[in-house]
Amino acid sequence: MRKFVLTAIVAAITAVSFAAPSQAGYYSDDCQPYCFIKKVKAYDAYGNVIIKKIRVCE
């Protein structure tokens, strides 16, 4: 019984590890997202300018 449970756990981990990467980064019809860097300007409590670079994908 113990051997069967251990085998089942190893099989489940193996199946999940192969299933997750196969779907990562898949786009149907070779449609890649368009990404660009957006600069956002904000001010802190002392009035200093803070510029953040944010990656935006559509």
Side-chain angles (χ1 to χ4, degrees):
M1 181 70 177
R2 181 177 172 197
K3 199 174 201 181
F4 175 76
V5 172
L6 184 61
T7 306
I9 291 172
V10 170
I13 291 172
T14 304
V16 170
S17 67
F18 281 121
S22 64
Q23 294 296 322
Y26 175 73
Y27 300 102
S28 62
D29 300 331
D30 295 330
C31 181
Q32 299 292 329
Y34 173 71
C35 297
F36 59 93
I37 303 295
K38 180 180 178 181
K39 291 183 180 179
V40 178
K41 184 168 65 171
Y43 298 94
D44 64 1
Y46 301 103
N48 299 322
V49 177
I50 299 173
I51 297 177
K52 294 182 182 178
K53 292 182 181 179
I54 300 173
R55 184 176 180 204
V56 180
C57 295
E58 296 177 347

